[in-house]
Amino acid sequence: MKHPAAQRRIHRLAWATLGLLLLLWHSQAADAPETMRPDQLKSGMKGYGLSVFKGTKPERFEVEVLGVLSNAFPRQDLILIRLSGANLEKHKVIAGMSGSPIYISGKLIGALAYGWGFENEPLAGVTPIHNMLAELDHADTNAVASASPPVAAGKGNEAAPFPLLTPLALGGFSPRLIARAAEELAPFGFLPTAAGSHGATTGITARLEPGSAMGVELIRGDLNAVAIGTVTWVGNNRVLAFGHPFFQAGRIEAPVVQGEVHAIMSSVARSFKLASAAGEAGALIGDWQSCIVADTRRRARMIPVTMAVHNRDTGHRARYAVEVIENEALSARLVQMAIAEGVSAASASSQDTTVRIALTAELNDRTVRLTDTVFNAGGGLLAAPAIEPVNAFFTTPFGHPVVRRIDVQIEAVLQRRTAEITRAFFRKAQANRGEAAQLSVVLKPYNRPEVTLTIAVPVPAGTDSQRQLTVAVLAGTDAPPDIAPPDSQNDFFDALEKQHRGTELVLLVPQSSQGLAHRGKLLKQLPPSAITVLSDESATAASGQPDVQQIVVPTEWVLGGQAAARIPIRQE
């Protein structure tokens, strides 16, 4: 039998535990606001909203319900409101207010999220809170939405509501790069701004509450890109924000930060919040039709990207260490933005620049290495094709690789090292079968005399049908790779590494034999018997290919143009 004193201690502990649980439940219930559905609203009802207009503290603005647009979106109504106060009569609806909680009679009705282009008064659309709360169920599943970006306000039909633009605070990027980003990221609803952000490393302890400015970090480190919106609802370590899709990625990981608003940039086209990151607050875990969902306990995995920049003429050197989010729709674009900024830093002038870029991507099961040299006219922004291979690190015909890290080496010289292929000719009138005929290729380097390269071209032997040899002379960027169509992801990356460089001169020499593409491999100079056997093995595994020998000649110039040369083959 237990001692009476011990029994009393057990009873007191049990009652204390129960009391603590009830206190926690009551606290959470008290913190969770009552909600109101669209069918409970009537025109003329008044209330307020919360958003940050300066610093980190939410401020109040006034609202009036104008009506409800039933089924404005798939299974989702849109509440129409008019705003006043907080100088909104001047600014109108501000980009960055997406997610601002709206309250009527003290009850949460939803998030300010939609607008119209060039409105004369501050009217906005509100996403109902019950649609947003339903997305919490999505966040606990493995469901994936489409990666198609939403259309931003002011794009397309001005009479239709669109998600408010999302300010994308860029730090460390040049004005030219920000201008390009505005064009490339517009379809995703982003409004790139120069914000001087240094990421969530300010030491500020993040505290997200309804109305707080919240950012999603797309790039962080020496370069920064933070998408700014507003918190609608907080509960049980989950945060609902924005009130519209980010770019409707479904399940997604990205760091979430508290935002600090520096100023409201008033504009007739669209006023926006000039803001930056102030402190890490968790991770984005879902991006759905009615809102984004974050978890304050989580930390997102990012892809490390390192860059080393060297200008060989000025001696300038710089290193960049950044991280980008892992997402098939945006990761490649973000890495390309970082590389373009690195090239811009390497040039640091309006002079013509020749740039060598070496990319190394560590994937889940292999490492891919690519090197190319490009010409950058007037020290301007890097042409998009120069870094297009980055796309292949994230998306292939055989699935999406897992990218562990990317390293970029950039070397620049302030010179125009380009040359045009002007003509090509054989040095004699006829060629014998099996001999090496001398081909002259004339290049015209920029601002320099012509240069003639002499290349030995093997003349096919062992056939009576070929009476003439025609050789195509191409710049590396225009020449087809000497590979078969890939049969697997590994073949795809093998093919990517075998792409010709812009400084390579490529000769295409047709052969008299037949080639065969078989299971991702290009087989050449096969006897007819071998072709028959391999072709019969599998109708889908083998396909006939022209047998073309490629002769690759490295040069010191980025090449352009093309030529062709013909020579009769002496008949015996």
Side-chain angles (χ1 to χ4, degrees):
M1 186 173 178
K2 293 183 179 180
H3 194 278
Q7 286 184 325
R8 286 195 296 272
R9 284 196 297 271
I10 293 173
H11 289 157
R12 284 198 299 268
L13 180 60
W15 281 109
T17 301
L18 179 59
L20 180 61
L21 290 173
L22 288 172
L23 181 63
L24 288 173
W25 176 85
H26 183 269
S27 174
Q28 289 185 353
D31 290 341
E34 290 186 73
T35 62
M36 186 180 291
R37 297 178 68 93
D39 57 13
Q40 298 174 279
L41 298 173
K42 289 182 173 51
S43 178
M45 297 179 77
K46 295 184 178 181
Y48 67 94
L50 296 174
S51 201
V52 175
F53 301 104
K54 179 71 175 178
T56 58
K57 184 178 179 180
E59 298 178 39
R60 175 173 170 147
F61 58 93
E62 307 306 313
V63 304
E64 178 185 354
V65 175
L66 300 180
V68 175
L69 305 180
S70 299
N71 211 30
F73 303 112
R75 298 177 179 270
Q76 181 177 313
D77 298 336
L78 189 67
I79 304 165
L80 184 61
I81 60 172
R82 178 185 286 113
L83 316 181
S84 61
N87 214 15
L88 292 174
E89 292 85 355
K90 171 187 174 183
H91 301 313
K92 309 299 187 294
V93 183
I94 301 168
M97 289 183 72
S98 293
S100 298
I102 305 299
Y103 300 89
I104 300 294
S105 301
K107 298 179 181 180
L108 179 62
I109 67 168
L112 185 153
Y114 289 84
W116 285 261
F118 301 102
E119 69 271 30
N120 288 323
E121 57 179 319
L123 304 182
V126 173
T127 299
I129 187 60
H130 71 274
N131 290 101
M132 299 175 66
L133 291 169
E135 307 294 14
L136 291 171
D137 295 331
H138 271 149
D140 293 322
T141 70
N142 291 321
V144 177
S146 68
S148 58
V151 180
K155 303 294 181 182
N157 180 8
E158 300 293 342
F162 292 94
L164 294 179
L165 290 172
T166 301
L168 184 65
L170 298 178
F173 290 95
S174 65
R176 290 186 299 183
L177 209 292
I178 293 174
R180 175 191 278 185
E183 296 178 5
E184 294 187 355
L185 298 177
F188 292 90
F190 293 134
L191 177 64
T193 66
S197 173
H198 294 288
T201 58
T202 59
I204 296 176
T205 301
R207 181 180 181 274
L208 295 180
E209 59 181 309
S212 292
M214 188 181 93
V216 179
E217 287 190 306
L218 306 183
I219 306 175
R220 68 182 180 187
D222 294 327
L223 302 170
N224 297 279
V226 184
I228 299 294
T230 303
V231 173
T232 309
W233 176 93
V234 180
N236 298 321
N237 301 305
R238 294 293 173 88
V239 178
L240 302 180
F242 285 30
H244 58 64
F246 190 29
F247 50 96
Q248 208 151 330
R251 294 282 295 174
I252 183 175
E253 280 192 32
V256 163
V257 297
Q258 183 168 11
E260 180 180 4
V261 178
H262 306 291
I264 303 299
M265 303 299 290
S266 192
S267 169
V268 174
R270 174 63 64 196
S271 298
F272 62 90
K273 293 183 180 183
L274 194 62
S276 59
E280 189 163 2
L284 183 66
I285 60 172
D287 177 16
W288 310 102
Q289 175 178 295
S290 67
C291 65
I292 62 173
V293 183
D295 189 326
T296 57
R297 299 165 300 180
R298 295 270 292 274
R299 292 296 180 264
R301 187 187 93 83
M302 302 280 276
I303 301 172
V305 179
T306 55
M307 287 194 300
V309 175
H310 179 207
N311 186 313
R312 290 165 56 186
D313 286 335
T314 65
H316 169 75
R317 291 179 181 271
R319 294 193 66 84
Y320 296 84
V322 302
E323 294 177 305
V324 302
I325 65 165
E326 184 178 15
N327 176 264
E328 63 181 84
L330 279 182
S331 293
R333 286 180 171 89
L334 299 173
V335 173
Q336 289 168 340
M337 281 175 56
I339 294 174
E341 184 56 44
V343 171
S344 180
S347 174
S349 73
S350 58
Q351 291 180 251
D352 289 346
T353 309
T354 302
V355 184
R356 180 182 180 273
I357 303 174
L359 302 172
T360 303
E362 292 182 16
L363 309 181
N364 197 34
D365 55 358
R366 68 171 289 167
T367 299
V368 180
R369 294 180 175 85
L370 307 174
T371 304
D372 203 0
T373 302
V374 298
F375 171 61
N376 209 31
L381 289 176
L382 188 64
I387 45 180
E388 191 173 328
V390 171
N391 293 323
F393 296 157
F394 297 93
T395 303
T396 79
F398 306 95
H400 303 289
V402 176
V403 181
R404 298 299 183 191
R405 64 182 304 110
I406 295 175
D407 179 72
V408 186
Q409 303 289 320
I410 300 171
E411 280 194 358
V413 291
L414 301 179
Q415 303 169 32
R416 178 173 177 171
R417 293 185 177 177
T418 63
E420 287 293 312
I421 302 168
T422 61
R423 60 191 183 277
F425 57 90
F426 283 98
R427 303 184 75 89
K428 63 180 185 178
Q430 277 191 323
N432 297 316
R433 292 189 181 92
E435 75 165 318
Q438 300 300 306
L439 176 69
S440 293
V441 178
V442 181
L443 306 178
K444 178 61 175 72
Y446 175 75
N447 209 25
R448 285 179 54 185
E450 289 185 340
V451 175
T452 301
L453 304 178
T454 301
I455 305 161
V457 177
V459 179
T463 179
D464 295 327
S465 61
Q466 192 169 357
R467 302 301 179 93
Q468 179 177 268
L469 178 64
T470 302
V471 177
V473 182
L474 303 173
T477 51
D478 298 326
D482 195 19
I483 53 173
D487 196 47
S488 65
Q489 187 165 280
N490 206 48
D491 288 342
F492 176 83
F493 286 119
D494 285 343
L496 191 66
E497 291 183 321
K498 291 178 182 177
Q499 295 280 348
H500 294 299
R501 300 174 182 179
T503 54
E504 291 177 341
L505 184 73
V506 181
L507 278 55
L508 305 183
V509 184
Q511 304 296 298
S512 57
S513 57
Q514 175 69 31
L516 198 70
H518 183 258
R519 294 180 178 172
K521 307 300 179 185
L522 189 58
L523 309 178
K524 297 185 176 185
Q525 297 182 338
L526 296 175
S529 57
I531 292 176
T532 300
V533 171
L534 291 172
S535 298
D536 290 345
E537 180 182 328
S538 171
T540 58
S543 61
Q545 297 285 328
D547 192 349
V548 179
Q549 180 184 1
Q550 293 197 4
I551 300 174
V552 180
V553 180
T555 75
E556 59 182 285
W557 306 282
V558 178
L559 298 176
Q562 59 184 25
R566 298 173 180 82
I567 187 171
I569 299 175
R570 182 177 287 111
Q571 303 301 307
E572 297 179 356

